[in-house]
Amino acid sequence: MTAPAAAVRGSAAVPLPYRVVRRDEETADTVTLALEPAGEGLEPFRPGQFAMVYAFGRGEVPVSVSGVERGGSGGRRGERLLHTVRAVGAVSAGLHGLRPGDGVGVRGPYGTGWEPAAAEGGDVLVVAGGLGLAPLRPLVRELLARPERYGRRSVLLGARTPADLLYREQVRAWSAAEGLLVGAAVDRPGPGWDGDVGTVVALLGRARFHPPDTAAFVCGPEVMMRATARELVHRGVPAHRIRVSLERTMHCGTGHCGHCQLGPVLLCRDGPVLGWDRAGPLLGVREL
Amino acid sequence: MAATDGADGAVIGTGGLAALVRLLRERGRTVVGPTVRDGAVVLAELESADELPYGWGVELEAGRYRLRRRADGAAFAHSAGPQSWKTFLYPQRVRRWSADRGPDGALAVAAEPEPAVSYAFLGVRPCDLRAIAVQDRVLTGGRYADPDYRGRRAGAFLVAVECTEPGATCFCASMGSGPGAGPGYDLALTEVVDADGHRFLARPGTDEGAEILAALPRLPADGGATAQAARTAVAGAADRMGRSMPPVDLRALLRGTLEADRWDDVAARCLTCGNCTMVCPTCFCTAPEDVTDLTGDHAERWRVWDSCFDLEFSHLAGGPVRSSGRSRYRQWLTHKLGTWHDQFGSSGCVGCGRCIVWCPVGIDITEEVHALHAEARGGCGAGGCGCGAAEDGAAEVGAGGVGAGGPGAAPGTGP
Amino acid sequence: MSTPAGGALAALTAGQRERLAALAREAAFPAGARIFEEGEPADRFWVVLEGRAALDVSVPGGPRPVVETLGPGDLLGWSWFFPPYVWHLGAVADGPLRVREFDAAAVRVVCDEDPVLGYALARAVGGVVAHRLKATRMRLLDLYGPRPGGGAP
């Protein structure tokens, strides 16, 4: 046993105080909160990792980091965490209702990340369904920042309606970036929608990639991830090069509460990002 | 350590045991041990060794626990009771931190200080000694340590008592965790009651254990007779286990039987009450509890025991992942005996038999595993699932499938 | 190898594709042009080369809802392959559209004459229909609706 927790201050059991400095409404029920540490900040998050965010008196929920910003005061202390939260339960509704100036508690970083380094040299597919774009946004930023490291890059988005698409302004900007294919498909288009109608899986047919050397990063509802991963495998993408981010109940983030088990995997520790070679067989067992 | 102890350890009498409790208390320790209360041998704080269950034994069966009087006056001739040491090391309800909200909305969070409690556990059975080692690994062996557990555990002095009287529901021998004491104790005792009297073979496991032992009154040297009697009694206990697991790689068996019909059979009996998880000495699952006071500006985070049998346990926004009783029983059993290896490098089962005794409908984990094994053998004679059904005896693994981290042959079980 | 390679008819042999190509020509539709209309005879079909086509439905008293869009490589139209050879949806060019247009009646005749080609084409068209059925069923689930999705929510 190595002496662990002391070395990772603030990331074990107790949240650090942060303050909401901005609140951006993304969709009818989803906001992005920019959080700045009130004192000491947490260790840096890698794309795909998550934090436990505490709504005062209500409880904590796991929320992936959807971006990092440099704050005004500079340095780690000023590093802002962006969290995109959908109001679905008591705690997330509490977070959704926060206003600039309100305090929250944050623990982390927890879990595995997307680890884009393994994708270098090959084509890259980012496939997001609904809120699944939130944990993928830092990865898209990485693809935009270092295009020379990757082959052909595609970002494929699915949503219920055009109004449910996250980060619409940014997605428009991504579309203008050279060498990045951005596709979006909605289930129900509205007037003025100029994207596709259908599932995000159908968009795979539009993307250009060389399957054996392609890395895919997939996040969305489990059914959507299963369908996407199967289609990618069918097209020849190796299962271990397809990474998905899974969701199970998480309370502690530290591998101690037992809730996030998926067979042999503790998702807060061994996930949430897993290769499809591991995730596929586990998701194939009902009620595992 | 006194030079006369030799390799066999020292021999103390009931007076020496009484002195042990006194000495540990004088050193500021809270001594916890077995005592008779409410018709059971429970674990509670002891003020003196007089409170030990001298002359009490137990009758155990699936769904049944009864005290019975013993003629020999033995103090430790009872097997696992309804509690385990996790009651003290990992209490049912613990405050983790408090948060206060200032008038400007800012939060101040205060961690609960690590507990300064200094326990001495008297009468830790070998199965429970292993259980403590298993929880050590789960709660402090990874990247993050549970500070509350670490605090309670770091100060605990463990007096193991080897098993000479296994119960009808015991199967530690097939889990490789008893009846002799494995590593981890400060002091190990083996109780011997025969024509030569009531005495204990005592062996230190740590410097502090040696120091304590050196301070206890001894019985006169008997030329190794007590040590010999102790070894014989422990070795004999290994042959008198009331239950056993099939001698196969349990991890592989359970990996290959996730869709077995047997799960439906056990689910038809299981009440999903969670008793097995409460009495299990290694079950560690907890849930958070958030409370606020009447001002609304002071909040606390508590941690309470939870059970994978609870429908809410696997709750997602769409509903519970494991909605059927079948899937919840399967989760418990496959985790305990199988996926625990993947997660924490050992089995989660120590063979104490508590889950069998305290199941209100008498579900027997060993019987369920034997049934899964039989079903696997019937269904895959070729052995393709890796459960070892085809090879059976040939697939036997040391210590009943206890993997890395599990010391196979425990000291004290030797000839 | 790169996707999409040959699109909807990729599974056919080069010889089979050549045979069908003889029954096809390249065509283009300006943005907004109607390609076919519900209830009309399905006498042609298309493989999209460039641009996008939208499948829509006529409903009284409102704009035509788009149920699906098709892009490069996709097969546009399958009603020509099954009796009664009538379009059950409408299709419109969603922006400038370049396609390969096939004479459906002629293709059906070739299929009858050459059952090996006919079988290969039936599998290809069946595959497209199955794919769209799966996608439609996924959309029926309303995955992004009130139940949330995503990794850590």
Side-chain angles (χ1 to χ4, degrees):
Chain A
M1 173 179 119
T2 49
V8 212
R9 163 138 177 72
S11 11
V14 176
L16 295 186
Y18 273 65
R19 193 181 268 279
V20 178
V21 292
R22 206 177 64 247
R23 178 183 189 272
D24 297 326
E25 299 216 1
E26 302 287 356
T27 72
D29 59 4
T30 305
V31 295
T32 295
L33 302 172
L35 306 178
E36 201 164 88
E40 188 188 2
L42 294 168
E43 299 288 318
F45 284 71
R46 298 196 311 277
Q49 288 190 299
F50 70 96
M52 296 300 299
V53 183
Y54 173 62
F56 181 80
R58 294 203 194 200
E60 291 179 300
V61 282
V63 193
S64 59
V65 169
S66 62
V68 172
E69 285 178 357
R70 300 287 151 201
S73 39
R76 164 93 61 69
R77 191 188 150 93
E79 188 170 87
R80 290 174 178 167
L81 299 176
L82 303 187
H83 290 290
T84 301
V85 182
R86 185 178 189 180
V88 288
V91 181
S92 57
L95 294 173
H96 182 270
L98 292 175
R99 293 291 180 271
D102 289 342
V104 294
V106 190
R107 297 189 283 130
Y110 294 128
T112 53
W114 296 112
E115 314 308 349
E120 289 180 12
D123 295 333
V124 182
L125 292 171
V126 173
V127 187
L131 202 58
L133 181 55
L136 284 165
R137 184 166 67 164
L139 177 73
V140 175
R141 291 235 166 112
E142 154 70 18
L143 297 181
L144 285 167
R146 282 178 268 280
E148 71 284 357
R149 293 191 182 180
Y150 308 96
R152 290 167 291 190
R153 299 158 296 150
S154 306
V155 176
L156 309 175
L157 311 175
R160 193 187 201 195
T161 71
D164 292 313
L165 267 176
L166 293 180
Y167 320 131
R168 286 193 290 279
E169 302 265 301
Q170 268 175 354
V171 170
R172 241 188 298 276
W174 296 345
S175 307
E178 200 185 330
L180 187 75
L181 173 86
V182 178
V186 297
D187 289 340
R188 299 172 203 177
W193 172 245
D194 61 356
D196 276 278
V197 180
T199 69
V200 69
V201 183
L203 291 182
L204 289 172
R206 317 284 167 78
R208 301 211 150 254
F209 55 96
H210 183 238
D213 308 321
T214 294
F217 301 95
V218 186
C219 188
E222 196 169 300
V223 176
M224 166 265 174
M225 291 194 286
R226 294 204 305 256
T228 305
R230 276 194 207 115
E231 179 67 21
L232 288 169
V233 168
H234 174 66
R235 285 170 184 263
V237 179
H240 72 275
R241 291 180 65 83
I242 302 168
R243 290 180 63 78
V244 297
S245 181
L246 301 183
E247 183 191 13
R248 287 292 182 271
T249 321
M250 287 182 194
H251 288 315
C252 71
T254 53
H256 296 148
C257 82
H259 284 259
C260 65
Q261 290 181 66
L262 178 64
V265 169
L266 280 171
L267 268 187
C268 76
R269 182 190 76 179
D270 311 321
V273 181
L274 287 182
W276 185 248
D277 53 329
R278 255 189 120 186
L282 298 176
L283 296 182
V285 182
R286 273 186 315 119
E287 294 193 272
L288 189 63
Chain B
M1 198 191 302
T4 53
D5 287 353
D8 283 338
V11 181
I12 62 172
T14 51
L17 194 61
L20 173 63
V21 174
R22 268 198 310 276
L23 182 58
L24 290 168
R25 285 173 60 83
E26 278 164 20
R27 290 185 161 219
R29 292 188 175 276
T30 301
V31 178
V32 180
T35 189
V36 171
R37 187 178 292 172
D38 302 329
V41 176
V42 301
L43 299 176
E45 181 174 353
L46 303 181
E47 290 182 4
S48 87
D50 296 344
E51 295 167 81
L52 289 168
Y54 282 110
W56 286 103
V58 291
E59 278 174 18
L60 305 179
E61 245 324 315
R64 182 183 161 84
Y65 180 101
R66 293 288 183 278
L67 288 181
R68 70 174 171 81
R69 271 287 177 192
R70 293 178 62 90
D72 64 3
F76 299 102
H78 53 84
S79 35
Q83 297 150 299
S84 68
W85 304 98
K86 80 175 181 183
T87 305
F88 301 92
L89 293 175
Y90 198 54
Q92 194 270 333
R93 198 163 185 275
V94 160
R95 184 166 55 206
R96 308 303 308 278
W97 38 269
S98 308
D100 288 281
R101 182 165 59 186
D104 61 348
L107 302 193
V109 184
E112 195 68 12
E114 285 198 15
V117 63
S118 176
Y119 283 121
F121 294 155
L122 174 58
V124 180
R125 311 327 296 251
C127 54
D128 283 350
L129 190 63
R130 172 68 67 83
I132 292 171
V134 168
Q135 284 214 324
D136 283 352
R137 190 181 293 223
V138 171
L139 297 168
T140 62
R143 177 171 162 80
Y144 305 106
D146 182 286
D148 185 79
Y149 181 87
R150 185 174 53 192
R152 293 171 195 273
R153 177 70 178 90
F157 183 90
L158 306 184
V159 182
V161 178
E162 295 191 299
C163 242
T164 52
E165 189 85 18
T169 51
C170 288
F171 57 101
C172 66
S174 65
M175 298 313 294
S177 53
Y185 57 80
D186 292 285
L187 199 56
L189 306 178
T190 314
E191 186 172 33
V192 178
V193 194
D194 57 20
D196 294 328
H198 191 170
R199 59 216 193 272
F200 303 87
L201 177 71
R203 301 184 315 282
T206 61
D207 290 346
E208 191 181 0
E211 189 192 321
I212 298 266
L213 180 56
L216 300 180
R218 313 288 179 83
L219 293 182
D222 58 7
T226 299
Q228 182 58 44
R231 278 196 292 269
T232 304
V234 172
D239 298 331
R240 295 202 312 279
M241 293 284 144
R243 298 285 200 277
S244 71
M245 282 290 183
V248 297
D249 182 344
L250 298 178
R251 185 185 182 184
L253 170 66
L254 294 171
R255 204 165 35 213
T257 50
L258 288 174
E259 302 295 357
D261 292 338
R262 183 67 185 190
W263 301 116
D264 291 320
D265 187 284
V266 66
R269 288 171 279 134
C270 176
L271 309 178
T272 66
C273 69
N275 260 17
C276 48
T277 58
M278 298 294 114
V279 297
C280 176
T282 66
C283 268
F284 61 87
C285 289
T286 60
E289 210 176 75
D290 291 277
V291 295
T292 46
D293 71 0
L294 285 175
T295 68
D297 288 323
H298 176 78
E300 294 181 350
R301 157 59 61 94
W302 291 71
R303 181 192 71 200
V304 299
W305 283 359
D306 200 359
S307 172
C308 54
F309 282 94
D310 194 305
L311 195 53
E312 291 293 303
F313 187 86
S314 61
H315 193 81
L316 284 180
V321 172
R322 291 186 282 273
S323 56
S324 69
R326 175 187 190 271
S327 68
R328 299 208 290 283
Y329 186 85
R330 185 182 68 181
Q331 164 62 26
W332 179 71
L333 191 142
T334 56
H335 184 221
K336 191 64 60 189
L337 294 166
T339 54
W340 205 294
H341 286 280
D342 301 278
Q343 295 170 5
F344 304 110
S346 76
S347 173
C349 179
V350 298
C352 71
R354 286 184 177 91
C355 56
I356 306 172
V357 173
W358 299 98
C359 176
V361 295
I363 293 172
D364 176 344
I365 188 173
T366 64
E367 184 187 337
E368 296 312 314
V369 175
H370 277 289
L372 286 168
H373 178 47
E375 187 177 336
R377 181 161 31 190
C380 64
C385 77
C387 70
E391 304 93 313
D392 207 354
E396 188 162 344
V397 287
V402 176
T413 54
Chain C
M1 182 170 82
S2 176
T3 356
L9 304 180
L12 274 60
T13 65
Q16 290 169 333
R17 278 206 296 271
E18 232 166 81
R19 210 152 164 218
L20 291 179
L23 308 172
R25 64 183 184 91
E26 270 205 37
F29 294 92
R34 182 143 296 277
I35 305 163
F36 57 80
E37 183 60 276
E38 177 184 340
E40 288 176 357
D43 56 357
R44 285 166 296 166
F45 68 93
W46 303 264
V47 172
V48 178
L49 298 174
E50 202 179 335
R52 188 160 60 196
L55 301 175
D56 60 8
V57 189
S58 179
V59 293
R64 303 171 61 116
V66 172
V67 296
E68 192 162 7
T69 52
L70 302 173
D74 287 341
L75 176 69
L76 170 55
W78 50 260
S79 298
W80 59 274
F81 199 72
F82 305 101
Y85 311 119
V86 171
W87 299 120
H88 73 287
L89 291 172
V92 67
D94 190 12
L97 180 69
R98 215 161 55 75
V99 293
R100 184 168 293 279
E101 180 176 284
F102 295 79
D103 178 335
V107 170
R108 290 198 299 261
V109 169
V110 167
C111 287
D112 289 341
E113 287 170 2
D114 180 351
V116 175
L117 170 59
Y119 178 61
L121 192 61
R123 283 179 61 126
V125 175
V128 169
V129 174
H131 221 269
R132 291 191 193 158
L133 177 60
K134 285 183 203 164
T136 303
R137 286 171 171 169
M138 271 227 324
R139 288 166 64 189
L140 273 176
L141 292 172
D142 195 17
L143 294 175
Y144 311 125
R147 284 182 181 201

